Amino acid sequence: MTELEFFLLVLSASAILVGVVRRFAISQGVLDHPTERGSHDTPTPRGGGLGVVAVILTAFIFIALGARDVRIWTSIVACGAVALVGWQDDRRGLAVGTRLGVHLLAGLALGIFAVAPGMSFTLQLGVFAVWALWTVTSINFVNFMDGINGFVACQIAIFAMSLVFFGSAVSRASWYAAAVAAACIGFLPWNFPRARIFLGDVGSGALGFLVPFVALMTMREQSISAGRVFLPLFPLLGDAIVTLLRRWLRGEKVTQAHRSHLYQRVANGGAGHTKVTLLFAAASLVGAVLSHAGDLANGWTLPATFAVVLLVIGALIERRVKIDPASRMDSRE
């Protein structure tokens, strides 16, 4: 099977399975009801990420069949665990402690995976801690940012496709990234521009775990810096980090649901889901192009410059776009 055939197979399977999950969610009453902090006005099925993740994990198992690295299999199991608690939360709700406990275990699994043979003990400990913490952070960042139609699926698809182009047809990391990108694209017709089902925690949490997993695979296989790998995700990460810092400085509870992310305020203030999703996607595409700029992208100068530019643009949007926090756009746009 060629990589293109694999990509199209995963995309098609994701699109079909999400439709099946949607019917199941409706029959079981797994619905996202409008709230003051939401960005939609009608009850909408959630948990569509169950179809996305099921296809991704099946594809991962297919890829990993020839591998004997137990850490890859552990990471696949960890992703499944994050998806499982997300699905339970979508269906009936789970205590924060339960979800965070599973997220921490998943982070530990990826932290172990990140440790390479030959490192000194001090370096091993540092690498383990950084990747474990980053994994837990990524799971929750992506979950927090899943608030308007197509937003997360577009961001992760562009990020994963950028990783695909770092590899080759025989690159194992490229195949893992292709599975993630294809499954996200297969989900988009169900969620963008009109939302007929949401990813839910099952999807956003698992995709948040997969971000560091496929990034780590690519960095290890292609010897690429973290700044270069994560450039396409800078728009998403920038909004998440700036909002988190603002809420913390204001003394607000950072784990409480809210609508204060820039993308939410602009979308709910009149720009709408579609325009905001496409705007952030365009910024991610610019990041993806820059990440493949060869020697120019090596080091941290280009990533740092891109981050500063995004912050300036974000500040200008906040100043010039009329944002009404009380308004809410219908998710069925």
Side-chain angles (χ1 to χ4, degrees):
M1 180 184 296
T2 66
E3 191 171 15
L4 177 59
E5 291 171 337
F6 172 77
F7 185 90
L8 294 175
L9 178 62
V10 172
L11 189 157
S12 301
S14 176
I16 293 170
L17 195 53
V18 169
V20 173
V21 171
R22 180 176 181 273
R23 289 191 176 188
F24 176 78
I26 292 173
S27 69
Q28 297 297 310
V30 184
L31 303 174
D32 197 323
H33 295 279
T35 66
E36 290 182 357
R37 297 185 180 93
S39 296
H40 62 289
D41 288 331
T42 58
T44 305
R46 63 182 174 186
L50 180 64
V52 175
V53 177
V55 171
I56 290 174
L57 293 183
T58 301
F60 278 15
I61 291 170
F62 169 78
I63 300 167
L65 285 177
R68 297 182 179 180
D69 192 338
V70 99
R71 295 176 301 176
I72 291 180
W73 290 99
T74 302
S75 297
I76 291 174
V77 171
C79 181
V82 172
L84 180 60
V85 296
W87 174 243
Q88 291 302 318
D89 193 43
D90 287 332
R91 293 191 66 185
R92 58 178 66 93
L94 280 180
V96 173
T98 302
R99 284 178 289 154
L100 184 58
V102 173
H103 296 171
L104 287 171
L105 290 174
L108 294 178
L110 202 60
I112 293 171
F113 183 37
V115 174
M119 291 180 175
S120 66
F121 176 75
T122 303
L123 183 56
Q124 286 181 336
L125 190 61
V127 168
F128 168 80
V130 167
W131 280 94
L133 178 61
W134 166 229
T135 300
V136 175
T137 302
S138 177
I139 291 170
N140 288 279
F141 271 9
V142 175
N143 193 358
F144 292 159
M145 296 297 286
D146 183 27
I148 61 173
N149 301 348
F151 188 85
V152 161
C154 278
Q155 293 289 298
I156 304 299
I158 294 169
F159 162 72
M161 281 304 301
S162 175
L163 299 185
V164 170
F165 287 109
F166 277 121
S168 63
V170 295
S171 164
R172 189 171 64 179
S174 179
W175 284 65
Y176 283 112
V180 174
C184 287
I185 295 171
F187 171 75
L188 277 173
W190 293 101
N191 186 249
F192 183 80
R194 176 177 177 266
R196 290 181 284 170
I197 189 169
F198 296 143
L199 270 175
D201 286 355
V202 59
S204 59
L207 289 175
F209 174 86
L210 291 171
V211 163
F213 174 75
V214 293
L216 181 59
M217 292 284 291
T218 303
M219 289 168 61
R220 178 171 292 172
E221 189 177 274
Q222 304 296 330
S223 299
I224 301 170
S225 69
R228 190 174 177 185
V229 163
F230 287 111
L231 262 178
L233 275 186
F234 274 25
L236 181 149
L237 296 176
D239 194 347
I241 292 171
V242 169
T243 302
L244 180 67
L245 288 174
R246 278 181 171 176
R247 288 173 59 79
W248 178 68
L249 291 172
R250 292 170 182 167
E252 299 175 12
K253 189 175 181 180
V254 295
T255 57
Q256 185 176 21
H258 59 89
R259 288 195 299 150
S260 55
H261 286 291
L262 177 63
Y263 82 90
Q264 289 173 314
R265 287 181 287 133
V266 176
N268 296 330
H273 293 212
T274 302
K275 289 180 181 178
V276 174
T277 294
L278 292 177
L279 175 64
F280 272 75
S284 294
L285 284 171
V286 171
V289 171
L290 293 176
S291 71
H292 290 268
D295 293 338
L296 180 63
N298 290 325
W300 284 94
T301 302
L302 182 59
T305 302
F306 185 52
V308 170
V309 170
L310 288 176
L311 288 173
V312 171
I313 292 175
L316 291 174
I317 290 175
E318 279 197 307
R319 293 183 62 181
R320 298 190 180 188
V321 175
K322 182 180 179 181
I323 301 174
D324 179 8
S327 67
R328 178 167 58 217
M329 295 299 296
D330 194 328
S331 65
R332 298 173 299 167
E333 277 194 321

